[in-house]
């Protein structure tokens, strides 16, 4: 029997005295209410009120708690800045939240690191200190409502509930019909993050100018040397993608104002942007070349930016073009979107490197390494025409794994190797699989994920007018978050069942479990105390709520079933 009771959580009253005393439901409600008010004032053009509300939000306890929580739960939580300080204990987080103030704040220089790009070059990243990251997260809470309210309708990069698949969906809408635009200005901005003009940003980004100036002029430390930052917003900061987005906002709306709405529609001008990559559709090559491109170059020049000559082209849809890892091309008048050759090649090299780096690893270990990589790539291309690419990649992987297996047993026959490393599963033969022994002594078969078995599912594009800080669009936002989570959990049946039974909410704080928050699979009765691994002994909690539950000695019980999700 599932007990029909909710968690035994004593109500938090008054001011919290330590990190795990914080009532996260109240914190998020307070911050959300202020953000909605900022967005409303922004829509009404009441900029003095916007500024006053931003000041109130950045000085509130709730916003400080949420900022520290973000930087101590994201992927960079174990990466330190130049001061080598990490906030990895509840006490450190509590102290950090209480000293996070504007008065006397001075950012430290960024720690410069380089990561490889697909073209062989390196991308510079600036790693801020934990304090600087938390300050950026704090001011981003106040800036995000404006960025979402004033952003271009078809800008999809680094925005809430938007993705590359939405950009792809919008391009399909713009290009798929027989009467659609036939010419594409495929553009790329040269070193966008590194060259944005500081003066332009200080004049046009609606946030605390003194704080923004300090961040922009903080400098970077590379090989022990301090280097000045005279332009750009460094890649690696929490607020950097939003600042870059705001620098490029207006590319769509101002272009259509320049042309006139009627003329823009007649010329079939559409702008689809993801971060600093964008394409502009048009009905003729001449208009794109002689009118649109010069206007775009002038728009960017004011912001200190310019188009990359080697990556900016004007192409016909029959010739096709690559965008966000996909190839868009019309075949006999029909638009097909497929994984691009460059993306497929880069993915194969990535998988091949994993196989080559684990020549002596156990088969089950190699499968566990490869499966998340394969699933991630397959799900990225799931909305497009990818079956042929999946099958071809499965074949390439088979030959790579066959060479891996043969190398391990040079004196064995091919039949022996095939029997040891490959099996038949249903209608599939030559499946790279093995049997492993689990902790409880049971045997379990693990197999390499089959790319070709991934079903093609069309993506439902988010509305270009969607604003997560508009109360009238709250229901739309809930549907988007739920759809994203259901897709993410599609191949994790037990987690999906728990998510649905809890109606997508954490049982501790009653707030949504999303891709950004993550989750913890909590056992009500610990396995060390005899608890089983069955669904009636498990619930999903936010990671921080799970920590809070243990630190305060709380218990949580399964809710009674209340119908389908």
């Amino acid at each position: 029997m599932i007990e029909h009771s909710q968690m035994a959580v004593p109500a938090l009253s008054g001011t919290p005295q330590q990190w795990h005393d914080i009532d996260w439901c109240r914190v998020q409600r307070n911050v959300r209410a202020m953000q909605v008010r900022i967005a409303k004032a922004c829509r009404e053009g009441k900029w003095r009120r916007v500024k006053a509300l931003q000041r109130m939000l950045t000085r509130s306890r709730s916003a400080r708690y949420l900022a520290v929580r973000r930087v101590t739960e994201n992927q960079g939580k174990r990466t330190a800045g130049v001061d080598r300080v990490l906030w990895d204990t509840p006490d450190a987080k509590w102290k950090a939240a209480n000293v996070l103030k504007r008065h006397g704040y001075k950012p430290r220089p960024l720690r410069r690191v380089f990561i490889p790009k697909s073209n062989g070059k390196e991308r510079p990243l600036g790693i801020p200190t934990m304090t600087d990251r938390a300050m950026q997260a704090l001011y981003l809470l106040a800036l995000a409502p404006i960025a979402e309210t004033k952003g271009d309708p078809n800008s999809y990069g680094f925005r809430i509930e938007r993705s590359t698949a939405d950009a792809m969906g919008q391009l399909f809408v713009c290009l798929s019909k027989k009467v659609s635009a036939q010419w594409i200005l495929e553009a790329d901005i040269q070193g966008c993050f590194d060259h944005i003009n500081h003066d332009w940003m200080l004049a046009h980004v609606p946030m605390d100018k003194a704080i923004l100036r300090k961040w922009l002029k903080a400098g970077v430390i590379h090989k022990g040397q301090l280097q000045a930052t005279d332009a750009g917003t460094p890649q690696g900061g929490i607020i950097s993608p939003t600042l870059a987005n705001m620098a490029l906002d207006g590319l769509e709306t101002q272009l259509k104002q320049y042309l006139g709405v009627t003329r823009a529609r007649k010329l079939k001008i559409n702008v689809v942007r993801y971060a600093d990559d964008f394409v502009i559709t048009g009905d003729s090559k001449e208009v794109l070349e002689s009118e649109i491109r010069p206007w775009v170059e002038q728009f960017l020049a004011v912001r200190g930016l310019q188009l990359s000559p080697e990556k900016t082209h004007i192409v016909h849809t029959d010739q096709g073009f690559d965008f966000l890892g996909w190839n868009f091309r019309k075949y006999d008048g029909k638009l097909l979107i497929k994984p691009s050759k460059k993306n497929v090649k880069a993915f194969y090299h990535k998988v091949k490197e994993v196989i080559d780096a684990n020549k002596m690893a156990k088969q089950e270990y190699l499968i566990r390494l490869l499966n998340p990589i394969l699933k991630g790539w397959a799900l990225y291309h799931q909305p497009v025409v990818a079956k042929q690419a999946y099958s071809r990649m499965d074949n390439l992987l088979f030959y790579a794994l066959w060479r891996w297996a043969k190398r391990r047993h040079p004196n064995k026959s091919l039949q022996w190797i095939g029997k040891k490393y490959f099996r038949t599963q249903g209608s599939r033969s030559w499946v790279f699989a093995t049997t492993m022994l689990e902790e409880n002594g049971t045997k379990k078969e693990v197999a390499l994920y089959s790319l070709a078995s991934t079903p093609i599912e069309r993506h439902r594009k988010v509305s270009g007018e969607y604003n997560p800080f508009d109360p009238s669009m709250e229901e739309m936002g809930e549907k988007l978050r739920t759809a994203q989570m259901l897709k993410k959990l599609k191949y994790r049946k037990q987690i999906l069942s728990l998510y649905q039974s809890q109606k997508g909410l954490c049982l501790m704080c009653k707030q949504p479990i999303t891709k950004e928050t993550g989750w913890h699979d909590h056992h009500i009765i610990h396995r060390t105390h005899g608890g089983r691994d069955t669904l009636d002994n498990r619930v999903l909690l936010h990671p921080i709520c799970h920590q809070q539950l243990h630190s305060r000695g709380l218990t949580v019980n399964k809710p009674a079933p209340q119908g389908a999700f």
Side-chain angles (χ1 to χ4, degrees), residues 487-529:
K487 183 177 179 180
K488 185 177 178 69
L489 299 176
K490 185 173 182 179
Y491 297 99
R492 304 183 65 175
K493 302 279 197 234
Q494 293 192 346
I495 301 294
L496 177 60
S497 178
L498 291 172
Y499 178 81
Q500 291 176 316
S501 70
Q502 296 176 201
K503 299 193 180 297
L505 302 178
C506 167
L507 290 187
M508 276 281 286
C509 67
K510 298 295 187 294
Q511 296 296 307
I513 294 172
T514 66
K515 290 197 302 182
E516 287 71 31
T517 65
W519 63 86
H520 183 90
D521 186 359
H522 172 68
H523 288 70
I524 299 169
I525 301 174
H526 290 231
R527 281 177 289 186
T528 54
H529 297 157

Side-chain angles (χ1 to χ4, degrees), residues 188-195 276 304-310:
D188 182 85
I189 301 171
Q190 196 167 27
C192 177
F193 279 83
D194 298 326
H195 297 107
D276 57 338
L305 303 171
Q306 61 182 16
L307 293 175
S308 169
E310 64 270 16

Side-chain angles (χ1 to χ4, degrees), residues 268-286:
K268 300 173 185 174
I269 302 296
N270 295 285
V271 181
V272 179
R273 179 168 67 85
Y274 189 92
D276 57 338
D277 292 328
F278 63 93
V279 295
I280 301 177
T281 69
D283 201 31
S284 74
K285 182 178 181 180
E286 291 72 24

